[in-house]
Amino acid sequence: MEMIVEELQRPVVLDASFERRVMVRVRRFHAQNRARRGKLARVAASITHHPAWTAAIAASLVAVTTFGIMNGRLRTPAVSGAAIEPTRFVLVAPTAQSVSVVGDFNNWGLGDSALVATSNHGVWSVTAQVPAGVHRYAFVVNGKDWRADPTAPRSPGDDFGMPSSALVVEEGSK
Amino acid sequence: MSKRTTGGLMAVLAFAGVSLSAGAQDPRMTPKLDNPSKAAVQAIVDSAKAQGVPTDPLLDKVKEGLARGADNAHIVAVVRNLSVELANAQRVLGANASADEIKAGAYALHAGVPAVELGKLKKESGRLRSLANAFTVMADIVSRGVPVGTATNAIRSLVGAGAKDKDINDFQQKVKVDIDQGAPPAAAAETRAKPAPVKPEDRE
Amino acid sequence: MLGLEGMESSDAELVTGVLGGDVNAYSTLVSRYRDRYARYAVHMLGNREDAEEALQDAFTRAYRSLARCEEPERFGAWLFRILVNRCRTSGARRMRRSQTFVHDEGALLNASEEHPAEQTMWREEIERAVGELSADQREAFLLKYVEDLGYDEMSEITGVGVSALKMRVMRACDRLRVLLKEVHSG
């Protein structure tokens, strides 16, 4: 069986014209689509001056937005195209005066971007909108004490002498 | 350098500049790379970009270093080291690997996992399976004292048996608790990775 | 070397570029995946002409639906699902047209330049035996052994249960052994 598989795994090389043929189809579709969009834009421009059309469009936009929210999590695309997932961070620190969360997803707190957690009898928590993907983060207690998340995998990239944790956010995982 | 990467780096550097004027009351909010360090980071990012290596982790590392108050030379050294690890991870994981797998793979390399083990696992698991979480857990248990060979065998056996990311996270939590309770790390990982009994419907 | 060739930009960056109007970025994606996925299509459909048509169609469909690619960094996996589905419909058409399995002449031609005549014959026998499998068995066998996918991934792509896929793979292996034994003993 190994010999059969080895034989079947040999590469198949297509000739150079393949890519050209695909791109001919793609460019044709692109051109048609652009023409269609241009036509729609012209139609839209002509109806925006009509009060009845304007009211109808405004009503449909409200309906779409409401539908999106009512049917579950409203996902916002990140710059990279990854979905945004709500992620909850929790740290038990009964004597802390303040706890914040910093990481790849919020510029490590630079420029006042740290996520400020709230305390419920020393159980500090905050929910952040985190893009799907691999992240590193840490808690900052009392503005100066950097701590890893004791419940999360450790991140080995402890390059600056302070611990951090690893977070893998899957799309639709929460 | 592409427009996007240039934009990303400039945003990081500009961000630091803005913080300098805005955050005088908090030393952590006033980080800035000096010009030679900026140039060095830019060269590293350019080089990574030319190799097709993901550059976002490098920019994140600059921000982390600035936020943690590290000195410029240290930040540049760490970023350079990470770029090498990202390139190594990309090389062994192949063209099917996602940016997240490469990033998680680079951190696993940083923890001491041999590159060849990452490559083997990727090859065995097929192109549709993301190993970002598996690499993350591998790095975690190695950092907790599980010998590298034991850790890679454990993760390979879990992935090979079809374990989902949730199962691998459960494994990590159990190994962590066992070690916290005094178990030898190798024994904890070996025992927790043992496969569950085969379900009757799988015996065909 | 596995991954550096043609990797100036990640899939996610290219997909983002295409969605932003840069049609040329798509040609990089085509060149990145065309040969890799041609292998599956050739083995699945049994001839280069149908395989190229299916692959072209998969690339075109992927372009048209690109905005629905939820994980741009996994464009390749998403494209592969489209190709597998496309091969199914193409395979059905081919079976209606002719029951005869036609081997991949182009691949054999390439092979003959690199390997001795016996190897080319062995390859031809394997191609013919794979073509003798039912489409379901051939699909499961190729996904499992040639494309190195796990059963969960195969199930995700094909919509078929894991148990049924295991049975198909097992039967495909048994059938291949019989067919290739017949060739050698006959």
Side-chain angles (χ1 to χ4, degrees), chain C residues 40-165:
Chain C
Y40 174 81
V42 165
H43 294 322
M44 193 61 211
L45 300 178
N47 70 81
R48 182 169 286 245
E49 188 189 341
D50 284 351
E52 286 199 11
E53 182 57 32
L55 194 54
Q56 274 191 56
D57 208 28
F59 274 120
T60 313
R61 286 181 192 197
Y63 177 81
R64 290 179 178 187
S65 314
L66 201 57
R68 293 203 294 274
C69 177
E70 291 179 351
E71 295 177 274
E73 71 281 7
R74 296 180 70 217
F75 169 82
W78 180 71
L79 171 68
F80 191 60
R81 283 194 197 99
I82 294 174
L83 177 66
V84 169
N85 281 327
R86 178 61 178 76
C87 284
R88 283 177 164 188
T89 54
S90 178
R93 280 204 301 273
R94 186 173 61 80
M95 289 301 287
R96 281 198 296 275
R97 203 166 64 217
S98 165
Q99 291 292 324
T100 309
F101 181 79
V102 183
H103 63 65
D104 173 22
E105 290 171 2
L108 291 176
L109 199 65
N110 288 342
S112 66
E113 291 165 4
E114 294 171 8
H115 306 292
E118 308 88 69
Q119 185 125 10
T120 305
M121 284 175 63
W122 167 236
R123 182 174 196 155
E124 191 172 356
E125 286 162 10
I126 290 172
E127 294 281 1
R128 198 174 293 279
V130 169
E132 291 283 324
L133 298 175
S134 70
D136 287 347
Q137 287 177 11
R138 186 163 61 247
E139 178 186 78
F141 176 82
L142 291 174
L143 292 176
K144 175 68 189 159
Y145 285 112
V146 182
E147 301 303 323
D148 276 339
L149 300 184
Y151 280 107
D152 285 343
E153 295 165 326
M154 291 164 62
S155 179
E156 192 186 328
I157 288 174
T158 60
V160 178
V162 169
S163 298
L165 287 168

Side-chain angles (χ1 to χ4, degrees), chain B residues 4 49-52 90-92 94-96 98 100 123-129 162 164 201-202 204, chain C residues 1-4 7-8 13 36-37 73-74 77 80 147-150 152-153 157 163 166-167 170:
Chain B
R4 187 164 173 254
K49 185 73 184 168
Q51 295 174 69
Q90 189 197 49
R91 180 176 52 78
V92 295
N96 290 324
S98 67
D100 281 330
K123 189 168 190 315
E124 288 166 4
S125 64
R127 74 164 68 91
L128 294 184
R129 170 75 193 256
K164 309 274 189 204
E201 63 264 32
D202 291 337
E204 283 162 349
Chain C
M1 190 70 68
L2 286 171
L4 296 180
M7 286 293 289
E8 287 86 4
E13 286 171 330
R36 201 181 305 169
Y37 291 167
E73 71 281 7
R74 296 180 70 217
F80 191 60
E147 301 303 323
D148 276 339
L149 300 184
D152 285 343
E153 295 165 326
I157 288 174
S163 298
K166 285 181 178 175
M167 286 300 286
M170 191 181 73

Side-chain angles (χ1 to χ4, degrees), chain A residues 8-92:
Chain A
L8 291 171
Q9 283 183 334
R10 286 190 190 284
V12 169
V13 180
L14 299 179
D15 69 70
S17 69
F18 177 82
E19 198 175 305
R20 219 166 35 241
R21 282 177 277 148
V22 172
M23 290 310 292
V24 165
R25 288 189 188 188
V26 162
R27 288 201 174 89
R28 192 183 306 142
F29 177 76
H30 179 73
Q32 286 168 351
N33 211 27
R34 200 166 45 186
R36 200 178 306 130
R37 276 204 307 268
K39 196 174 170 186
L40 282 173
R42 283 193 297 279
V43 171
S46 69
I47 62 177
T48 48
H49 298 294
H50 196 294
W53 276 109
T54 311
I57 291 166
S60 67
L61 283 175
V62 169
V64 167
T65 311
T66 310
F67 181 82
I69 294 168
M70 285 173 64
N71 280 276
R73 186 174 45 243
L74 190 63
R75 286 189 185 165
T76 313
V79 175
S80 64
I84 305 282
E85 297 294 336
T87 304
R88 193 163 185 76
F89 299 90
V90 178
L91 180 73
V92 178

